[in-house]
Amino acid sequence: MDAIRVAKVDNVVLERPIPPSTKDGVPTRSRQTGTLHLTPHHLIFSPPHDTASTSSEAASTSEIWIPYPTITLLTRLPQSIAGLYPLQIRTRTFGSYVLFFERDRQGGAEDVWQSVKDCAVATSVEQLYAFFYTLSPPPVSRPTAPVTPDPTSNPSPAASGWSTFNPRAEFARQGVGSRTKAWRFTDINRDYAFCPTYPTKLVVPSRISDSTLAYAGKYRSKARIPALTYLHWANHASITRSSQPMVGLKNSRSAQDERLVECIFSSHQSPDTAYATASPSPSPSPSVYGATSTNLIIDARPTANAMANVAVGAGTENMDNYKTGKKAYLGIDNIHVMRNSLKVIAEAITEAESSASGTLDRGLLRKSNWLKHISTLLDGALVIVKNIHLNASHVLIHCSDGWDRTSQLSAMAQICLDPYYRTFDGFKVLVEKDWLAFGHKFLDRSGHLSSEKLFTVTDTPDDDTDDEGGGAQKAAQALFAWGQKQFASSHHLKEISPVFHQFLECVWQVQRQFPERFEFNEEYLLDLYHHLYACQFGTFLFNSERDRRVPDGGKAYVERTVSAWDWFDGVEQSTRHVNSSFDPTLDDRSSRSPDADQGVLMFDPRDVKFWYRLFRRGDEEMNGGKMAAFQASGADLLTVGPGQVDPVSVDGAIENVSAGVNGGEGLSIPSPARSRGPSPKPPSADASPLPANRSLEGVSGKDSFRPFTSTTSAFSMHSKAGDQVTSQSKSPLPFARLSRGNSSGPSGNGIPATGAAGSGGGWNWSQLSTSASSAFGALQGAAREIKSIGQEAIGQIRAEAADGESWARSARDSAPGTGIGEGRPSARGNERTSARSGLRTPSEANPWSVDASTAKAPASIPSGFADPGPRPQTQREPSWTANPWGESATPSSATASLADLTLRSDNSSRVATEQGASGGDKGEQTATKSDNRIVSTTEDKRVEEAALGGDRKAWDPLGAL
């Protein structure tokens, strides 16, 4: 209560839009006067109760409760024309309120603004309303199916809602231990020491020991190993989930992780025994399902995001090591893209509410790409449903950490596969299992602790005052407020994202297409969305099961807060949430009617609309015309199998880069059937080439690695029968001389023998996203640094050569291994006998280019670096101011560039020294005279070996020797 400056304010005017009561309606403005109450957790507006004469008026004049955690923006606006002081409130539930106060201070607008700010910005989750709320009266639960109690489970808290999900009971319902013995429970995470973000009870293949799991956990991000979340009732196909593997730039692998995935993908072959062999029986058996295996590893991310994770030590599976399945990229964007997309919708609603006409800008709605994201999620879930139910195969789902997009895809697929999850009890178990137990970060994604940056002031300067002191005071206050905002922590604001919101919206999309297949109605989903942010219950407050159940200096949080399911099971809520059109007979698995689907929903992922009731708008206003059709494009699937080049791998990146270097333009799709064998023969004249480069119009940076939606795409899982893609001939990679430890090509270099040249070879590097471009920029920077080192080495050699006689003398006196100067000037200015005549000089030419392999034999540095061509045999006096690196040692000679210096073997360097540069007179070139001394070839050799210390690489930073 200390943070509340004023607890009650009378005569407050409230303006707000009222959502339309019909689908075709538009919001209406409401203005009423009442009393404002401030509590530690809510802002309550109470209008006069004697003004309501009808039910609709009663609804508009009912009490309005605004929980502080739902506030996304609280702004102090300038004084109105009527002399009132307004405060504008916007909430995460898309509510908009403007409160007008008669006073600014002393119980007015400023005190209310400061009080709400101090109460909303919490430093601990224990300050939220859930730790003060008590449920009264006790809920009346719906009748549930009898479940055998688990004597080994932890005792349930006082509130029964916390015991909604019993892992042993739920997986026993799915058939673990009864229909199949290929799976077992493991207690490796019983104290959350193995993986703090996983539940205590995990289901893994029976043929995998805990020690193998311990090693496999080191290969997965945050030790989130592949674990079972759903076992299909018809064919033993499974849905498992995990985090990304720690592949990195070194292309690391784990035998334990590969074995774990192999056992998952073969768990259906012998369901009657726990320790069957991995290979299927040669004779057909009715108990073996999925004979034509299409096991999938679903990587929910775009390929550009997966490549960016490779640069930080993570990445995606190398399918050459997981030969029992294929991999599919779904191209679902990350949490930051989703947050910005929803922000654009909120801006469109705000502009419509502030405009005089109140018209919603559909251009902004289209710009948000919100329906595109929803359609992509649904399309990915449909791929999983088909692979499980129709192909009788297994699916492993992961994104980066496995708690956002993975939870969305897994939960949506199970809702469509199992009618149990479309009931009240099943939906609660699904949320508890795939969202709460598997560690979705509700606290971070929902932003429950708020931030001071969400509270702003937009005052106008007072032009009527001439008081300079007052202006200085306002400036000081503004500076102080700015400093507070800068030092306020906003890191958790970047973690906010509508992940669970998108899941609820996807459920609503399927519910809209199948209104008779869900026991609950739309009101149930809307109430769930409200309590996601209201912080009234402890269900959606924490980041993991460990945070909820492990005591931190006192009782566990599940014993101190009320579960949301207790409130939803109440009599009043149960009546409102029941779907009157629900028909459970449609899910009868034994039905053989022509339209029977065995309870599996095959929805249309492109039939999506804006959830207009959630956004408090009208259906016609948001979805009228062809609004939804513009964005419902579905997922851009990209599949990779064993032996195919993964665009996220090092081989794929090199191939894509080489395509751009060799003249490839545009964004093209490589053939998925590209093997690592020998180069294919050039296509014949009548062969059908790949289509021309597709237009890049409308392709954003984040979609740069995503293939275009096309029914003829080789990667599309919606391709029509008969579509063919003919591979183009590919030129050899310029990187073919590089060797890698993990060989996969015929030459053992780990790089495909065929490159991607021209338009059909791969993606243009210039089209990469910012993250991938940064990784390539680092490589370019390293190349520039190597070049700089080479130039510095050349400059050092030049400086040593300019030292003349003292340089040669220091070479004789230097100890072995110091690498200090060799060579001395001769009696002739254009001739020089150097002990470094056999030392190679780095070249500016690119040693990795194709031209480098066909270049002519390099030459060594001739004595005096003279031009080997004919020249007059005139004797010159030594000129120490002349450029010794030019064609001649005269002051007028121009300095030769590094490109003029070529390389030659050590044997040819001595020949070049002996041939000379002036008419080929060998007698004059054999030895030079300086200060009546002659340095023989033997002495040169001795000085060279002493200077280099027996290590020719000491002066060779680029590996020229």
Side-chain angles (χ1 to χ4, degrees):
M1 296 294 294
D2 296 338
I4 299 178
R5 300 187 178 186
V6 55
K8 179 181 178 181
V9 182
D10 296 322
N11 298 325
V12 176
V13 179
L14 171 65
E15 281 189 1
R16 67 184 180 109
I18 299 179
S21 56
T22 61
K23 294 176 60 177
D24 300 334
V26 294
T28 57
R29 302 291 300 182
S30 172
R31 184 182 178 95
Q32 49 191 323
T33 303
T35 303
L36 186 68
H37 302 271
L38 280 77
T39 70
H41 305 100
H42 292 85
L43 195 65
I44 307 172
F45 180 80
S46 300
H49 295 286
D50 55 352
T51 59
S53 57
T54 64
S55 58
S56 60
E57 291 178 356
S60 62
T61 57
S62 60
E63 248 183 13
I64 300 174
W65 288 55
I66 305 177
Y68 293 148
T70 64
I71 297 177
T72 58
L73 191 64
L74 179 60
T75 307
R76 287 175 53 191
L77 300 177
Q79 186 177 9
S80 65
I81 300 178
L84 300 177
Y85 299 89
L87 288 181
Q88 186 180 47
I89 303 174
R90 300 198 179 276
T91 66
R92 302 185 191 276
T93 56
F94 302 96
S96 178
Y97 310 91
V98 180
L99 301 172
F100 293 91
F101 299 87
E102 296 178 348
R103 295 188 300 271
D104 186 16
R105 297 176 176 83
Q106 298 179 356
E110 182 179 356
D111 290 342
V112 172
W113 180 85
Q114 190 65 45
S115 300
V116 174
K117 174 184 175 182
D118 294 340
C119 293
V121 180
T123 58
S124 172
V125 69
E126 297 183 6
Q127 301 175 5
L128 299 177
Y129 181 49
F131 288 87
F132 302 90
Y133 172 76
T134 56
L135 185 63
S136 178
V140 178
S141 301
R142 302 183 184 86
T144 59
V147 176
T148 303
D150 181 16
T152 62
S153 61
N154 297 329
S156 60
S160 61
W162 290 114
S163 59
T164 297
F165 171 58
N166 186 325
R168 292 192 178 274
E170 170 57 19
F171 285 107
R173 183 195 68 84
Q174 297 180 13
V176 174
S178 57
R179 292 193 303 112
T180 176
K181 297 180 180 179
W183 300 89
R184 70 175 180 91
F185 283 93
T186 176
D187 293 329
I188 191 174
N189 199 40
R190 60 182 177 273
D191 55 355
Y192 303 102
F194 175 72
C195 179
T197 60
Y198 258 13
T200 54
K201 298 292 184 181
L202 295 175
V203 181
V204 296
S206 299
R207 291 187 287 121
I208 296 296
S209 64
D210 285 355
S211 60
T212 303
L213 296 177
Y215 281 102
K218 299 177 182 179
Y219 187 66
R220 292 284 172 173
S221 175
K222 297 176 176 61
R224 295 174 66 91
I225 59 174
L228 180 70
T229 183
Y230 177 70
L231 185 67
H232 195 35
W233 51 267
N235 50 28
H236 302 290
S238 66
I239 297 179
T240 51
R241 52 182 297 171
S242 69
S243 61
Q244 63 182 339
M246 306 302 292
V247 178
L249 295 174
K250 296 182 179 180
N251 200 18
S252 303
R253 58 184 296 186
S254 170
Q256 292 80 8
D257 185 79
E258 295 166 12
R259 181 64 173 170
L260 174 58
V261 175
E262 178 188 355
C263 291
I264 290 173
F265 285 171
S266 61
S267 61
H268 63 284
Q269 294 174 355
S270 299
D272 298 332
T273 176
Y275 303 102
T277 58
S279 60
S281 175
S283 60
S285 173
S287 63
V288 176
Y289 298 91
T292 305
S293 172
T294 57
N295 301 321
L296 280 180
I297 296 179
I298 297 291
D299 194 331
R301 303 167 293 181
T303 53
N305 294 20
M307 174 171 286
N309 280 274
V310 171
V312 296
T316 187
E317 290 85 356
N318 182 355
M319 295 312 297
D320 289 340
N321 304 327
Y322 300 86
K323 299 183 181 298
T324 56
K326 294 183 178 180
K327 181 171 58 179
Y329 295 99
L330 298 186
I332 302 174
D333 290 305
N334 57 27
I335 60 173
H336 310 292
V337 176
M338 302 302 183
R339 179 180 64 246
N340 295 333
S341 177
L342 186 63
K343 183 179 179 181
V344 174
I345 297 180
E347 291 175 355
I349 296 175
T350 300
E351 291 185 5
E353 292 172 351
S354 59
S355 64
S357 61
T359 304
L360 194 63
D361 187 358
R362 293 187 178 180
L364 279 178
L365 295 181
R366 194 176 298 110
K367 180 182 177 182
S368 69
N369 289 327
W370 182 256
L371 291 185
K372 176 184 176 183
H373 299 317
I374 297 297
S375 179
T376 303
L377 283 170
L378 290 174
D379 208 354
L382 185 62
V383 170
I384 300 172
V385 171
K386 290 182 177 180
N387 201 61
I388 293 290
H389 187 66
L390 300 182
N391 298 337
S393 300
H394 306 273
V395 176
L396 169 61
I397 313 171
H398 73 77
C399 47
S400 293
D401 292 316
W403 51 47
D404 291 322
R405 288 164 283 194
T406 302
S407 298
Q408 291 174 328
L409 294 170
S410 175
M412 280 306 305
Q414 294 175 61
I415 283 179
C416 299
L417 287 169
D418 197 336
Y420 171 71
Y421 294 125
R422 299 194 289 270
T423 64
F424 283 109
D425 296 328
F427 192 81
K428 292 188 299 183
V429 170
L430 179 67
V431 173
E432 286 278 346
K433 173 171 63 73
D434 273 88
W435 290 91
L436 300 173
F438 274 98
H440 176 66
K441 303 171 67 174
F442 278 100
L443 179 62
D444 293 344
R445 296 294 180 260
S446 302
H448 292 322
L449 300 183
S450 193
S451 173
E452 292 186 359
K453 292 193 173 184
L454 304 180
F455 299 85
T456 60
V457 179
T458 57
D459 284 334
T460 55
D462 190 0
D463 297 334
D464 298 334
T465 179
D466 295 333
D467 186 6
E468 296 181 358
Q473 181 180 2
K474 290 184 178 181
Q477 292 177 350
L479 179 62
F480 180 73
W482 175 84
Q484 280 186 325
K485 184 175 296 186
Q486 295 300 317
F487 286 102
S489 175
S490 61
H491 172 71
H492 66 283
L493 294 180
K494 299 179 181 179
E495 295 291 319
I496 296 176
S497 186
V499 179
F500 193 74
H501 168 193
Q502 285 183 321
F503 164 69
L504 294 178
E505 187 154 346
C506 287
V507 174
W508 177 79
Q509 301 288 350
V510 179
Q511 187 185 60
R512 183 178 56 83
Q513 297 184 30
F514 300 92
E516 299 177 349
R517 312 300 283 273
F518 290 81
E519 186 180 5
F520 48 85
N521 57 18
E522 183 182 4
E523 292 292 337
Y524 183 77
L525 299 177
L526 290 172
D527 284 349
L528 266 176
Y529 178 81
H530 170 77
H531 288 289
L532 171 65
Y533 296 106
C535 298
Q536 183 175 348
F537 309 110
T539 304
F540 306 114
L541 287 189
F542 309 101
N543 287 335
S544 64
E545 180 183 285
R546 178 183 181 275
D547 293 345
R548 283 184 292 273
R549 297 190 177 274
V550 175
D552 186 12
K555 292 183 178 180
Y557 289 154
V558 295
E559 301 178 9
R560 300 174 56 186
T561 60
V562 177
S563 172
W565 312 123
D566 293 329
W567 182 85
F568 277 96
D569 287 342
V571 177
E572 180 182 355
Q573 283 69 35
S574 300
T575 305
R576 291 193 307 110
H577 295 155
V578 171
N579 180 14
S580 58
S581 60
F582 175 59
D583 186 4
T585 61
L586 297 176
D587 297 324
D588 186 8
R589 298 170 183 172
S590 61
S591 175
R592 295 299 179 262
S593 61
D595 56 347
D597 54 14
Q598 295 184 311
V600 177
L601 305 183
M602 297 292 181
F603 54 86
D604 183 3
R606 288 167 176 78
D607 182 12
V608 294
K609 291 184 177 182
F610 284 104
W611 195 0
Y612 59 93
R613 288 195 60 190
L614 178 71
F615 296 113
R616 299 174 180 255
R617 311 297 296 188
D619 185 16
E620 180 64 25
E621 185 182 15
M622 298 194 75
N623 301 308
K626 299 181 179 180
M627 170 60 66
F630 283 118
Q631 299 189 36
S633 58
D636 295 329
L637 299 178
L638 191 156
T639 57
V640 179
Q644 299 175 1
V645 177
D646 193 335
V648 178
S649 65
V650 177
D651 296 345
I654 292 177
E655 190 165 334
N656 295 329
V657 175
S658 64
V661 173
N662 293 336
E665 296 179 358
L667 185 64
S668 58
I669 304 175
S671 172
R674 185 186 302 116
S675 65
R676 298 174 182 267
S679 301
K681 296 180 180 180
S684 59
D686 55 351
S688 301
L690 283 173
N693 295 333
R694 293 164 173 81
S695 173
L696 293 178
E697 181 179 359
V699 180
S700 60
K702 65 177 181 299
D703 297 326
S704 58
F705 246 36
R706 185 182 302 166
F708 284 83
T709 303
S710 173
T711 57
T712 61
S713 171
F715 290 115
S716 177
M717 300 188 73
H718 307 284
S719 58
K720 301 178 181 178
D723 293 345
Q724 296 180 356
V725 180
T726 304
S727 301
Q728 288 180 323
S729 62
K730 301 173 178 61
S731 61
L733 286 174
F735 302 87
R737 297 185 303 276
L738 294 175
S739 61
R740 283 158 33 95
N742 184 14
S743 62
S744 56
S747 59
N749 55 11
I751 301 174
T754 57
S759 62
W763 296 283
N764 189 349
W765 190 267
S766 62
Q767 296 295 327
L768 287 178
S769 64
T770 305
S771 301
S773 300
S774 301
F776 185 56
L779 297 178
Q780 289 179 325
R784 288 192 294 267
E785 184 176 355
I786 293 175
K787 182 178 179 181
S788 176
I789 293 174
Q791 292 176 345
E792 291 177 359
I794 295 297
Q796 187 174 2
I797 295 175
R798 290 178 176 176
E800 293 171 354
D803 287 342
E805 184 67 24
S806 60
W807 179 75
R809 186 179 300 110
S810 63
R812 297 190 187 95
D813 299 336
S814 60
T818 58
I820 303 175
E822 305 106 285
R824 61 184 186 276
S826 63
R828 299 184 181 183
N830 63 337
E831 297 175 4
R832 185 180 303 270
T833 300
S834 172
R836 296 181 60 89
S837 59
L839 181 63
R840 296 185 181 183
T841 305
S843 172
E844 281 188 334
N846 182 7
W848 305 107
S849 65
V850 178
D851 297 334
S853 61
T854 59
K856 61 183 181 179
S860 63
I861 305 174
S863 179
F865 295 97
D867 189 348
R871 55 170 48 172
Q873 300 183 9
T874 57
Q875 188 172 1
R876 298 183 179 90
E877 294 297 328
S879 177
W880 306 115
T881 61
N883 181 10
W885 301 90
E887 295 183 355
S888 61
T890 59
S892 61
S893 62
T895 303
S897 65
L898 291 178
D900 297 331
L901 301 180
T902 57
L903 304 177
R904 180 173 295 179
S905 63
D906 294 338
N907 295 332
S908 61
S909 62
R910 178 59 57 189
V911 175
T913 305
E914 293 175 355
Q915 287 180 351
S918 177
D921 188 359
K922 297 182 179 180
E924 295 180 359
Q925 299 295 334
T926 303
T928 55
K929 299 179 181 180
S930 176
D931 298 333
N932 298 325
R933 289 179 298 159
I934 299 177
V935 181
S936 64
T937 304
T938 304
E939 184 180 2
D940 291 340
K941 187 68 176 180
R942 181 184 61 80
V943 173
E944 176 182 336
E945 294 296 334
L948 296 180
D951 185 8
R952 288 182 172 273
K953 295 183 179 180
W955 279 88
D956 189 22
L958 296 183
L961 293 179

